[in-house]
Amino acid sequence: MTLLAIDAGNADTSIGLFDGDELIADFVVASDERRTSDEWFLVVEGFLRRADLPEVDEIAMCCTVPALLVALRRTYLRYYGDVPAWVVGPGVKTGVPIHTDNPREVGTDRIVNALAAKELYGGPAIVVDLTGTATVIDAIDAQGRYLGGSIAPGVEVSLDAIVRRSAQLRSVEITTPRDVIGKNTVEALQSGIVFGFAGLIDAIVERMIDSLGEEPEDVSVIATGSHAAVVLTECETITARDPKLTLQGLRLVAAKNR
């Protein structure tokens, strides 16, 4: 059984292909809202053919961008009409109880991450997702319930904002500087971004563990997302790195709805 998994976010769209439980290929493209359904088909099919991958038997998808969701729905309806497809949302089973004020406003990617954390790492767990636009930290309790989370600006968004609003600052490579005390403007920016976001993540994770009423050693803290991985190397609370967590969650969604 070959599953096409699509995680469409604000900045990037991750696409993976599973053969059973094994992720056999994956790639990332820009989440261009101008891309038509026909173009999305060409992107996916071009990748499958170049990599000599098998035909798609089913599709699982989560999307946080309405315009992209419309185009992607049209893609599978037009080109994969006879293939079972599940778009995470109302009516699609995830097995994750959502304990928030308004479950419908929670991003579907966050629920998919919670499912993957619950099934692959067990609860209680905290997921740290570094996307291009946001730093998202979510909590799952010992019963596997999604409790909510925290959203802060993303590393790239923060760097872009400070560069645009400061006449004497310029964009820099996001890498660990020689020391936390920057000796020049470039290193000072790198210090603020890398150590600043690492401190933000650790502080929120520690507060969430306290809120869960758990001991730190009993909580899995899983980092995912393909952005600013250097920040995660400076975090002290991360216990696992799983860049493909969302794709794995989509595989689990397909299994629950098959």
Side-chain angles (χ1 to χ4, degrees):
M1 184 69 70
T2 304
L3 169 71
L4 176 67
I6 302 174
D7 168 28
N10 289 289
D12 295 331
T13 294
S14 297
I15 302 174
L17 197 72
F18 287 89
D19 182 6
D21 293 342
E22 181 185 0
L23 180 64
I24 57 176
D26 67 279
F27 64 110
V28 178
V29 296
S31 294
D32 189 347
E33 294 185 26
R34 299 171 299 174
R35 188 176 286 138
T36 67
S37 58
D38 298 323
E39 289 174 314
W40 276 111
F41 171 72
L42 292 174
V43 167
V44 173
E45 283 297 305
F47 174 75
L48 296 178
R49 291 179 182 178
R50 182 177 181 82
D52 193 25
L53 297 173
E55 295 293 323
V56 173
D57 296 316
E58 52 187 15
I59 299 170
M61 178 172 65
C62 63
C63 181
T64 58
V65 184
L68 287 182
L69 182 57
V70 171
L72 288 167
R73 281 185 184 274
R74 289 174 177 168
T75 300
Y76 75 72
L77 287 173
R78 180 173 182 179
Y79 293 102
Y80 303 98
D82 57 343
V83 173
W86 301 282
V87 180
V88 180
V92 174
K93 293 182 289 185
T94 63
V96 178
I98 305 173
H99 285 237
T100 62
D101 292 340
N102 184 0
R104 290 181 178 271
E105 73 180 8
V106 180
T108 54
D109 56 333
R110 299 169 73 182
I111 302 306
V112 170
N113 283 343
L115 170 61
K118 169 187 172 183
E119 297 287 340
L120 302 179
Y121 297 90
I126 293 172
V127 177
V128 179
D129 189 0
L130 294 181
T131 72
T133 54
T135 301
V136 183
I137 307 175
D138 287 316
I140 302 96
D141 68 9
Q143 288 74 46
R145 300 175 298 186
Y146 173 83
L147 303 182
S150 174
I151 303 175
V155 173
E156 288 85 356
V157 164
S158 297
L159 181 58
D160 289 345
I162 195 172
V163 168
R164 284 200 308 269
R165 291 176 177 268
S166 304
Q168 293 185 318
L169 298 179
R170 63 184 187 276
S171 186
V172 299
E173 179 186 4
I174 301 175
T175 188
T176 304
R178 291 177 295 176
D179 190 76
V180 68
I181 302 174
K183 299 297 185 182
N184 52 62
T185 301
V186 169
E187 289 186 348
L189 274 171
Q190 291 171 334
S191 173
I193 289 292
V194 174
F195 299 121
F197 271 88
L200 177 150
I201 290 168
D202 284 340
I204 293 177
V205 168
E206 288 169 356
R207 287 173 180 262
M208 283 189 177
I209 292 173
D210 287 341
S211 182
L212 288 168
E214 302 285 351
E215 295 297 324
E217 60 269 20
D218 296 329
V219 181
S220 298
V221 183
I222 308 108
T224 190
S226 58
H227 292 265
V230 65
V231 170
L232 299 176
T233 64
E234 302 299 330
C235 293
E236 298 179 352
T237 55
I238 304 298
T239 62
R241 297 274 296 273
D242 193 341
K244 311 304 179 186
L245 188 72
T246 313
L247 294 179
Q248 292 290 348
L250 289 169
R251 173 183 64 81
L252 294 167
V253 167
K256 288 183 177 296
N257 289 271
R258 189 170 293 137

